Amino acid sequence: LSDIVEHATTIKSVNLLGGEPLLEKFNENLLIALHDYPNISYYVLSNLSIPEITTNRIFQLLNKNDSVTWAVSFETIGERYDYVRNGSSWDLFQNNVRTVYEITNKKLLVHFTYCIYSATRLVEFFDYVSSVPWFKKIIIQQLVTPSYLNVSMQNEKIRDSAIQEISICVDKYHEMFPEEMQQLIEIRQALLDLPFINSSEHFNKIKNTETILSKKIGIYELWPELAESLAGDHHAKTT
């Protein structure tokens, strides 16, 4: 912190990233120390799962600065959001996004993770983002690890479903989200070029994670399009 303050006059921007920046005590000290340096802008990437966000000290300090860009990370909606973003809730998330938007009067960037949870639900995600006034550009990031959630590491049925979903999404949103759709086109081509693999271990790993996290609703109920493919892998392995 002292080193940052020493060079504060030459710092142009500060990124507050994950873990969760609104829970990182150091960030409060940092913002207080840099309060008198208007030359610094901030980029905040949060999952916005903080209860009573307006009373959060770091959020309050950030709101005193006009040069803050807010970005939020999510890739699923509704019950599927609750499943993926363990410990948060869809209602809490939406309320916090609305709060940030209304207080700052600025739209939020979206960091979207392309993975097995989002690959077959692209259309409903973009339907949601386009239906509310809170968001602007979507930054698509491809999950690499763990491999059992990596779309590139799935079996032929799941990858075919993912490829088909990209095609439907691109047809629907190529004008509204041209940059994002170009990213999806490139992902689709990469999926088409890759050889298929045996993903028989994925079933057990996903179900084990559900058990550890005490999930009341499982992946097959929330993503029925994945059920046959993943269960088929498991059946093939045990057979």
Side-chain angles (χ1 to χ4, degrees):
L1 180 60
S2 61
D3 186 59
I4 292 173
V5 172
E6 180 182 349
H7 297 89
T9 57
T10 62
I11 295 174
K12 294 182 179 180
S13 63
V14 173
N15 292 345
L16 303 182
L17 308 176
E20 172 49 51
L22 298 183
L23 294 179
E24 176 53 66
K25 179 65 177 177
F26 175 84
N27 287 341
E28 180 178 346
N29 299 330
L30 177 68
L31 290 168
I32 292 173
L34 298 180
H35 177 265
D36 296 325
Y37 296 91
N39 53 293
I40 299 176
S41 63
Y42 296 88
Y43 186 93
V44 185
L45 175 57
S46 170
N47 58 37
L48 291 185
S49 61
I50 310 299
E52 301 180 2
I53 191 171
T54 56
T55 64
N56 178 274
R57 180 60 175 156
I58 298 170
F59 180 77
Q60 292 173 340
L61 290 168
L62 286 165
N63 285 333
K64 295 180 180 179
N65 191 307
D66 293 331
S67 300
V68 178
T69 298
W70 283 89
V72 62
S73 56
F74 78 111
E75 54 286 305
T76 47
I77 67 172
E79 287 185 309
R80 280 175 282 279
Y81 173 91
D82 295 344
Y83 179 96
V84 174
R85 296 287 174 169
N86 194 63
S88 183
S89 75
W90 181 237
D91 289 340
L92 174 64
F93 171 79
Q94 288 193 101
N95 287 336
N96 284 341
V97 171
R98 184 187 297 109
T99 297
V100 173
Y101 171 74
E102 291 177 349
I103 289 178
T104 64
N105 198 31
K106 295 179 181 179
K107 293 190 175 186
L108 293 77
L109 290 169
V110 176
H111 283 246
F112 171 95
T113 302
Y114 186 78
C115 61
I116 192 173
Y117 297 134
S118 58
T120 60
R121 297 286 174 160
L122 293 173
V123 174
E124 72 175 20
F125 178 85
F126 280 91
D127 284 347
Y128 169 74
V129 171
S130 63
S131 70
V132 293
W134 310 324
F135 307 112
K136 49 182 178 179
K137 182 178 179 180
I138 301 170
I139 300 169
I140 299 175
Q141 307 160 123
Q142 294 189 67
L143 179 144
V144 177
T145 59
S147 61
Y148 63 90
L149 300 181
N150 183 337
V151 180
S152 300
M153 303 296 288
Q154 303 304 316
N155 64 31
E156 183 174 1
K157 288 184 178 179
I158 293 178
R159 259 201 262 173
D160 282 347
S161 296
I163 290 167
Q164 181 180 7
E165 183 73 3
I166 290 176
S167 297
I168 296 171
C169 193
V170 168
D171 286 344
K172 186 172 185 179
Y173 284 110
H174 66 278
E175 292 184 357
M176 185 177 294
F177 297 101
E179 293 184 20
E180 292 85 346
M181 294 305 106
Q182 182 56 42
Q183 284 184 272
L184 289 177
I185 289 172
E186 292 170 5
I187 291 173
R188 179 178 63 188
Q189 188 58 52
L191 291 175
L192 288 168
D193 291 342
L194 287 170
F196 294 112
I197 65 168
N198 182 353
S199 55
S200 58
E201 77 280 4
H202 294 177
F203 176 92
N204 287 333
K205 290 183 177 179
I206 291 173
K207 301 307 289 185
N208 286 343
T209 301
E210 290 181 353
T211 300
I212 292 170
L213 298 177
S214 301
K215 294 293 185 183
K216 295 180 180 180
I217 304 178
I219 189 171
Y220 296 155
E221 290 77 21
L222 295 172
W223 288 269
E225 66 272 19
L226 300 178
E228 181 181 353
S229 298
L230 287 173
D233 276 346
H234 177 67
H235 175 73
K237 181 179 180 180
T238 55
T239 300

